[in-house]
Amino acid sequence: MGFYLLLLFSFFSFTLKADNSVNSKVTIDWKEFRSLLKLDVDEIRLSWDEFSRLMEQTGARYEPEYRVDNGSVVLTRQEFKKLVDSMKPPAGDELMPPADYILTKSTYNGVMGRESTTFTAVLNLEIFDRAKEAYLKIPLFQEGLAISEVRLDGRPASVITEGGWHYLSTNEVGRHSVSVRFSIQSSPDKGIPGLNFTITGTPVTYISLDIPKADLEISVQNAQEIIKTGAKGHTIIRGYLSSTSYVSISWKSEDKKIKRGPARIYSEVFNLLSIEADAISVTTVFELNIMQNTISVLTLAVPSDYQVIDVSGGGLAGWSVREEGGGQLLDIAFEYPFEGTKALTVKSEKLLAEETIVANFEGFEVLGAMRESGYVAGEVKSDAEAEVQEFNNIERIDFQKIPYQLSNLSARPILFAFRYVRHPFNMVVRITKYEKEEALTSFIDLAKGITLFMEDGKMVHQVTFTMQNLWDQFLKISLPADVSIWSVYVNGKREKASKGDDGRVLIPLARSERGYDGSLTPFDIELIYTEKVEGFNFLGKKKNYFPATDILINKAEWTLYLPVNYDYISFGGNLNPAVEEVIPPSQSEIEMKELPEEAMESETEEIELDDKSGVSAAAPVSKKAYDLVSTRQAVEFASGKAGLLSLKVKVPISGKKYSFEKKIVEKEEALFLGFSYANEIIIRTIIILLILILLFVLFRKRRIFIPLFGALGKGLVKLLYVFKLALRPREFIIIISVFLLLWILTRFYWYYPLLSFVLLLLFGGSIVRYVQNRGK
């Protein structure tokens, strides 16, 4: 019934929202509505999931009074109404503009005179709404241009000048047209034939210019398409520019057409051979220089057994490979005939089939080239070794002489480099493959565990793994079969652990992010679980295991907190010796995280959990909550389902503290600790008995020990004479001075201020006594 209430509430919320926008209405009969909501019933029953979703929607602004009956949450109709009224309205998606303003198009119409050129520029401007009304400064042109007029939508506009630029100042919004009239010094006959000025960049830029001179060859930088016309001694150009912030126009008189000879091709080639696991990939860069005439198609001879993968470069119309004369030819067509310099890149490969193979490389040849020279270099990108066995008509070069064109192609160290001056040439490379060793894809830098032992046998474990991970999906942990997992947090977020077929706990992992220096950012995994073992007796032994993981651990630290009413005789295991420290009881913190519905009852009970549960020292918490955490979770987890994470617990630090550590813990290596213990009453009883036995033996054997004590007394009497001599004023002040000097020299290593005070007091007393004896 609760689920239908949620659906109905969502439907009416949507309907009300629609009413505000399109004034639509939904009508329902009152009896039908009353029957649907069961308004005659005083109580509303919801499932726990439905109640949780309603609570999330309120944002924890109101917590109603409720009770749990047969797994359902029961609320009074008044409490349900308060809960619905406190729900947050749905958040709307606000569409934000990309910027305060944008310039979409600019048009420049210029007319050149004898001394200057006058331009009229029209800029299409769109200004978006802003949260706070303010004036915008929109850059127009630099100060070098002589601006005579600026208009916004046909009206005079406000212009300010700052930092070498003219800015349009306005607070209007919407679409506008900005007209700017300016002039720049130029002449068709005097000085340098051309003009240059800076503009504000726009996606679409159109320019036209009327030059009062005929028969000109005009060049416009960044022009995509220029149309030139001539009429009555004038040359007029029109066209579009690519996205730019600079206009550069130059011209010269047209050369008389003469008959040109065939094109002369000069080529310098750079070949990089990349040895991969199953192929040789070749990246070839051609730097061409076409002289004397233009070409439309370039033909290359492809090395035998190599397949062309891709051809790239400016102005390409397409490429194709054809068979001819038992070899392959690569035809590269250009969009328009060109001459001058051009760079092309051809990628090819040769597949490798055997473990050890010998492969040759003859290089690409530019057919019809007047001169061609180049370089060949190699790198290895896999678990293989490359060695040049034979080379003909090609010479080896030092690594210091490798051209930058090859160095920029390679991200790995170059293994060999050669240079050739003409075709044909050939080189033979022997490739040996090796078995690849997998590197670590995840690594635990620190595993820090805390185990709290209770006298009645309960144990609470808190383990934190600080790790780096690239590809692993789960962290697999071996735990005893009867543990109860309380919480799992990965990188600060709650996660659900599951159980694999082999019985190990599976914790989903996060991915480490790379920093600016390329290093991986570590993250923490926090696991808290409990375990029931046999309680402490008057005398006995205990053994405990640290969670074994399927990932290498650089360092493991394990801290035990043991009951203070026992003495711990010896420790054993495969970790370093323990360090003892007594920690007083402290108040740890419990944070409720979506408790099961049985644990959310309003009745709570003050229960002492300091030595019974391992959760907290005298923490006020629902007794049902603790019972459910320690029993229900164990049942859910043992069945192979995801862990039910109800509490985030901090293990209290109280008891006798013992610390252990071990470096480099291998995968699945089991760390364990064992210790023997005895109750303090037993230890004290044994000490008293030993003292009584010693006294009894001394009394029974007094005739043997009396002569020994007598001899010791005579020795002390003889020493008293030495002390008496030392107490004389002169000798005493010398002795005290020596002790004081030693104290001054070693005072940084003395930690007992009382000793310093005594020495100073004796020194002062010796001075007084010496002065008194001198006076007598």
Side-chain angles (χ1 to χ4, degrees):
M1 183 265 183
F3 177 75
Y4 293 108
L5 279 174
L6 286 177
L7 287 179
L8 185 61
F9 179 76
S10 301
F11 174 78
F12 279 114
S13 298
F14 176 81
T15 303
L16 290 176
K17 185 176 181 181
D19 287 341
N20 294 332
S21 58
V22 297
N23 297 324
S24 61
K25 295 183 180 180
V26 175
T27 305
I28 187 171
D29 184 74
W30 169 251
K31 292 184 179 180
E32 182 180 354
F33 178 74
R34 184 182 184 89
S35 175
L36 180 62
L37 292 184
K38 297 185 178 180
L39 297 180
D40 296 332
V41 182
D42 294 332
E43 293 181 339
I44 305 298
R45 303 180 69 89
L46 303 173
S47 69
W48 181 254
D49 290 338
E50 295 166 351
F51 179 69
S52 299
R53 280 182 286 170
L54 282 177
M55 290 297 296
E56 290 177 358
Q57 185 63 26
T58 63
R61 293 180 294 179
Y62 172 71
E63 184 176 354
E65 295 183 0
Y66 63 92
R67 60 185 177 87
V68 178
D69 184 16
N70 294 328
S72 299
V73 178
V74 180
L75 298 93
T76 63
R77 180 162 301 281
Q78 182 179 3
E79 290 295 327
F80 179 74
K81 183 179 182 303
K82 291 180 180 179
L83 178 62
V84 172
D85 292 339
S86 63
M87 293 178 64
K88 297 183 293 185
D93 294 332
E94 183 178 357
L95 184 62
M96 301 297 295
D100 291 338
Y101 68 91
I102 57 173
L103 292 167
T104 59
K105 183 180 179 181
S106 59
T107 302
Y108 298 87
N109 296 309
V111 177
M112 182 178 294
R114 291 300 175 183
E115 300 296 335
S116 63
T117 301
T118 302
F119 278 93
T120 301
V122 178
L123 307 178
N124 293 347
L125 171 65
E126 184 171 358
I127 303 176
F128 299 102
D129 290 331
R130 300 178 298 281
K132 183 178 181 181
E133 184 178 359
Y135 279 85
L136 294 177
K137 293 194 303 182
I138 303 171
L140 298 177
F141 299 98
Q142 287 187 334
E143 289 183 353
L145 302 180
I147 296 179
S148 58
E149 185 182 43
V150 179
R151 289 182 173 272
L152 178 64
D153 298 332
R155 307 185 311 273
S158 299
V159 179
I160 59 176
T161 302
E162 290 183 0
W165 277 79
H166 298 295
Y167 292 88
L168 171 68
S169 178
T170 180
N171 64 340
E172 298 183 15
V173 297
R175 295 184 178 181
H176 305 276
S177 176
V178 181
S179 176
V180 182
R181 184 179 179 84
F182 63 90
S183 60
I184 184 171
Q185 186 176 1
S186 64
S187 174
D189 300 315
K190 301 177 183 179
I192 300 175
L195 56 87
N196 305 281
F197 57 93
T198 303
I199 63 175
T200 301
T202 55
V204 180
T205 304
Y206 178 82
I207 188 168
S208 68
L209 179 62
D210 184 351
I211 303 175
K213 192 172 183 179
D215 300 328
L216 294 179
E217 289 186 4
I218 301 178
S219 176
V220 181
Q221 185 176 337
N222 297 320
Q224 297 299 319
E225 182 182 359
I226 292 294
I227 300 175
K228 184 180 72 171
T229 59
K232 297 181 180 181
H234 285 249
T235 301
I236 302 173
I237 60 169
R238 299 182 181 88
Y240 289 90
L241 306 181
S242 60
S243 180
T244 182
S245 60
Y246 193 73
V247 174
S248 177
I249 304 175
S250 60
W251 58 83
K252 65 178 181 178
S253 298
E254 289 184 348
D255 297 329
K256 293 183 179 180
K257 295 184 179 181
I258 60 175
K259 186 177 180 181
R260 308 176 69 182
R264 301 172 65 90
I265 303 175
Y266 296 87
S267 175
E268 191 171 17
V269 186
F270 304 92
N271 300 277
L272 178 64
L273 278 63
S274 299
I275 314 300
E276 300 180 359
D278 57 349
I280 298 179
S281 297
V282 182
T283 302
T284 305
V285 177
F286 298 86
E287 291 190 353
L288 304 173
N289 189 8
I290 314 300
M291 303 176 64
Q292 190 171 300
N293 211 328
T294 62
I295 64 171
S296 299
V297 177
L298 183 69
T299 302
L300 307 177
V302 181
S304 58
D305 299 331
Y306 284 82
Q307 304 296 323
V308 177
I309 304 300
D310 184 41
V311 180
S312 59
L316 294 185
W319 58 275
S320 62
V321 178
R322 54 189 171 89
E323 301 285 341
E324 184 175 308
Q328 297 184 92
L329 297 180
L330 171 62
D331 295 324
I332 303 174
F334 301 99
E335 293 180 345
Y336 49 86
F338 80 95
E339 64 178 314
T341 60
K342 181 173 285 292
L344 297 175
T345 300
V346 178
K347 292 186 178 181
S348 58
E349 70 174 10
K350 178 178 181 177
L351 299 179
L352 303 177
E354 303 175 2
E355 294 297 326
T356 302
I357 193 169
V358 175
N360 68 320
F361 180 70
E362 303 166 354
F364 287 86
E365 181 180 1
V366 180
L367 299 184
M370 299 296 297
R371 187 176 69 227
E372 178 183 343
S373 61
Y375 298 84
V376 180
E379 66 175 1
V380 173
K381 288 187 175 181
S382 64
D383 50 335
E385 180 182 5
E387 179 184 3
V388 179
Q389 280 190 329
E390 180 183 347
F391 52 93
N392 300 309
N393 202 24
I394 189 171
E395 61 178 357
R396 193 185 297 270
I397 63 173
D398 295 333
F399 289 100
Q400 292 81 2
K401 296 182 179 180
I402 297 175
Y404 71 91
Q405 291 91 334
L406 275 179
S407 301
N408 293 341
L409 289 176
S410 175
R412 296 174 177 266
I414 293 180
L415 302 179
F416 53 83
F418 293 84
R419 185 178 187 274
Y420 66 92
V421 294
R422 65 181 59 88
H423 276 280
F425 74 89
N426 182 49
M427 62 183 301
V428 180
V429 181
R430 184 176 184 271
I431 302 169
T432 305
K433 298 182 181 180
Y434 298 104
E435 184 178 353
K436 187 175 182 180
E437 291 290 339
E438 292 293 338
L440 291 175
T441 59
S442 58
F443 177 73
I444 297 177
D445 186 62
L446 177 62
K448 194 170 184 179
I450 297 176
T451 298
L452 178 66
F453 280 83
M454 299 296 174
E455 291 189 33
D456 60 356
K458 296 186 183 70
M459 287 193 299
V460 181
H461 306 269
Q462 177 178 343
V463 185
T464 302
F465 299 98
T466 301
M467 69 175 299
Q468 303 173 19
N469 177 49
L470 285 176
W471 304 112
D472 287 2
Q473 184 177 0
F474 293 99
L475 173 64
K476 299 179 181 180
I477 302 177
S478 298
L479 294 176
D482 56 347
V483 302
S484 175
I485 293 182
W486 282 12
S487 68
V488 177
Y489 279 78
V490 179
N491 199 18
K493 298 180 180 179
R494 193 186 68 172
E495 294 289 349
K496 293 184 178 181
S498 55
K499 199 169 186 180
D501 297 336
D502 56 358
R504 290 187 296 181
V505 178
L506 306 180
I507 298 178
L509 294 178
R511 296 288 184 268
S512 295
E513 298 181 356
R514 289 198 179 274
Y516 293 106
D517 57 353
S519 61
L520 295 179
T521 303
F523 59 91
D524 289 342
I525 299 174
E526 182 184 282
L527 170 66
I528 298 180
Y529 63 96
T530 62
E531 181 181 358
K532 288 187 177 181
V533 295
E534 186 179 352
F536 279 73
N537 299 316
F538 280 97
L539 188 68
K541 293 183 178 181
K542 292 283 187 181
K543 193 172 184 180
N544 190 26
Y545 288 89
F546 194 81
T549 65
D550 66 333
I551 298 176
L552 179 69
I553 300 176
N554 183 33
K555 183 180 179 182
E557 296 179 356
W558 196 359
T559 302
L560 302 183
Y561 291 93
L562 305 177
V564 296
N565 298 326
Y566 294 86
D567 287 331
Y568 303 94
I569 303 170
S570 63
F571 286 86
N574 54 0
L575 287 90
N576 290 342
V579 176
E580 179 183 358
E581 183 180 357
V582 178
I583 304 297
S586 62
Q587 188 82 11
S588 67
E589 146 183 348
I590 300 179
E591 183 180 349
M592 298 300 174
K593 295 287 186 179
E594 296 185 14
L595 286 174
E597 58 269 18
E598 295 88 346
M600 294 294 292
E601 294 184 358
S602 58
E603 298 87 358
T604 60
E605 180 182 350
E606 290 277 334
I607 59 174
E608 294 290 330
L609 302 178
D610 53 337
D611 61 350
K612 296 179 181 179
S613 65
V615 179
S616 171
V621 64
S622 170
K623 188 175 185 304
K624 232 175 223 188
Y626 173 72
D627 294 337
L628 284 171
V629 168
S630 55
T631 58
R632 176 175 169 180
Q633 283 190 348
V635 174
E636 293 285 342
F637 187 79
S639 63
K641 300 179 180 178
L644 192 62
L645 306 178
S646 300
L647 290 175
K648 183 176 182 180
V649 184
K650 289 188 177 179
V651 177
I653 50 174
S654 63
K656 291 185 177 181
K657 176 183 176 182
Y658 295 87
S659 299
F660 305 83
E661 69 174 13
K662 184 176 181 180
K663 297 180 180 179
I664 310 300
V665 181
E666 299 292 340
K667 298 180 180 179
E668 305 298 343
E669 181 178 353
L671 301 181
F672 67 94
L673 289 173
F675 58 88
S676 302
Y677 66 90
N679 195 289
E680 290 182 350
I681 298 176
I682 297 178
I683 301 298
R684 292 173 184 174
T685 302
I686 293 175
I687 293 174
I688 293 174
L689 290 177
L690 290 176
I691 293 174
L692 292 177
I693 292 172
L694 180 60
L695 293 175
F696 178 75
V697 171
L698 291 176
F699 178 75
R700 293 296 302 268
K701 303 295 183 180
R702 59 186 179 278
R703 294 183 179 180
I704 299 175
F705 291 104
I706 287 176
L708 295 177
F709 286 116
L712 180 62
K714 292 178 180 180
L716 293 176
V717 170
K718 293 180 179 180
L719 288 176
L720 289 176
Y721 178 73
V722 178
F723 289 133
K724 184 177 181 181
L725 294 176
L727 291 176
R728 293 179 181 179
R730 182 176 299 176
E731 287 78 1
F732 185 72
I733 193 172
I734 293 174
I735 294 173
I736 293 301
S737 299
V738 171
F739 272 101
L740 186 61
L741 179 62
L742 291 175
W743 173 80
I744 293 174
L745 294 177
T746 61
R747 66 186 184 276
F748 296 107
Y749 305 99
W750 289 37
Y751 301 100
Y752 302 101
L754 181 61
L755 179 61
S756 304
F757 175 76
V758 172
L759 285 176
L760 290 174
L761 188 63
L762 289 175
F763 180 75
S766 64
I767 296 296
V768 172
R769 185 176 180 186
Y770 179 74
V771 172
Q772 290 176 349
N773 288 327
R774 292 280 295 180
K776 294 180 181 179

